[in-house]
Amino acid sequence: MSFAELAAELNKIPPFTRITMLSALLITAPIMLKLVRPFHYSFDWSLITGKLQIHRLYTSIFIPWRLDDPIKWLFDLFLLYRYLLQIETKSYDKRLPDMVWQFFWSMATVMLLCYPLHFPFFWTPFIGFVVYFSSRLSPNETTSIYGLITISIKWFPYVIAAFDMVMSPMIGCGTIAGMVVAQALFMLEYDAPSEANPTEEPRLKQRSILRAPNWLVRLLVAPEANRPAPSKRVYGQASAPAGRGFGDDGRGANVASSSSGYNWGQGRRLGET
């Protein structure tokens, strides 16, 4: 596969999911291969404020706790891609600024909740956040645990939290923190299904304090997407001369000539017989 073909395939992935997955691969893979020490990417508030190493706020999200377990990391990557893609394509379609803004503040809240526990990495809270948020947005779907047991998606985040709690109570607390923040985001942004119709999909609220500001919308959305379509007025039926189009300033519309009105013929110049 050539580089152009690879780039074309990557461009098929929605932007938020694409950037997130590339970040996870490019940050964690060198650490797994022991090319870079995880210390350079970990969350250290003294270095963030003292030496302005602001990149740690972003890189610490993508580093797993168990660097000696690549199989678990690959499984987490699969979960992240599957459920993040589902969130972006189903609930945030054409709402990239809102997704960026809300995920930014959500992860900031996760870091604040985990700060007393001195978390160096936020990979498991991020996975817990994404999986739980997806389960609330698509409550009627099912998922499989290692291809062995099929359960409702709404119970899957609790299974992940239980596994993480068995692995390490501290890691489990991080996963639960991500789930708590996801629940708060869901309550602020969506209306839950009514008790009379529990299988109904959640509805987006008309107003929310977490909608993206205008400057972010202008930054992430192309100006053409916000430009209103020109108004069209119909004053009757006529046909343009062959090879011309109405409003093309004589340049030629390069379209087949057709008419739904009277055929006026080819026309003659003055003085011609």
Side-chain angles (χ1 to χ4, degrees), residues 82-84 86-87 90-91 127-143 151-160 179 182-183 186 193 198 200-202:
R82 176 182 177 180
Y83 293 108
L84 194 60
Q86 181 174 311
I87 291 173
K90 182 177 180 180
S91 302
I127 296 295
F129 169 82
V130 171
V131 174
Y132 185 88
F133 193 42
S134 176
S135 70
R136 293 308 310 269
L137 295 176
S138 304
N140 301 319
E141 297 188 4
T142 60
T143 189
I151 63 173
S152 174
I153 186 63
K154 64 182 179 181
W155 302 114
F156 188 52
Y158 301 100
V159 174
I160 295 178
M179 294 167 58
Q183 174 64 24
F186 177 80
E200 182 184 9
E201 293 287 336

Side-chain angles (χ1 to χ4, degrees), residues 9-66:
E9 291 298 322
L10 288 176
N11 285 331
K12 294 179 181 179
I13 305 174
F16 192 92
T17 303
R18 179 173 66 246
I19 294 175
T20 301
M21 297 305 299
L22 287 176
S23 298
L25 291 172
L26 295 177
I27 292 173
T28 308
I31 298 176
M32 289 282 187
L33 297 174
K34 301 186 183 303
L35 300 177
V36 182
R37 295 175 58 190
F39 167 76
H40 297 293
Y41 297 145
S42 63
F43 182 88
D44 191 324
W45 187 246
S46 62
L47 295 177
I48 294 173
T49 56
K51 296 187 177 181
L52 298 180
Q53 297 182 4
I54 304 176
H55 68 276
R56 294 175 180 269
L57 294 171
Y58 184 75
T59 57
S60 60
I61 298 175
F62 301 101
I63 304 177
W65 279 76
R66 295 288 303 274

Side-chain angles (χ1 to χ4, degrees), residues 103-122:
F103 272 59
F104 170 80
W105 287 111
S106 296
M107 289 312 300
T109 307
V110 167
M111 293 179 180
L112 184 63
L113 291 177
C114 295
Y115 183 77
L117 299 176
H118 303 287
F119 266 52
F121 313 123
F122 300 97

Side-chain angles (χ1 to χ4, degrees), residues 20 29 59 71 74 86 95 112 120 127-128 215 218 257 263 270:
T20 301
T59 57
I71 302 300
L74 291 175
Q86 181 174 311
R95 295 179 55 216
L112 184 63
I127 296 295
W215 63 266
R218 290 192 298 268
S257 60
N263 184 6
L270 292 175

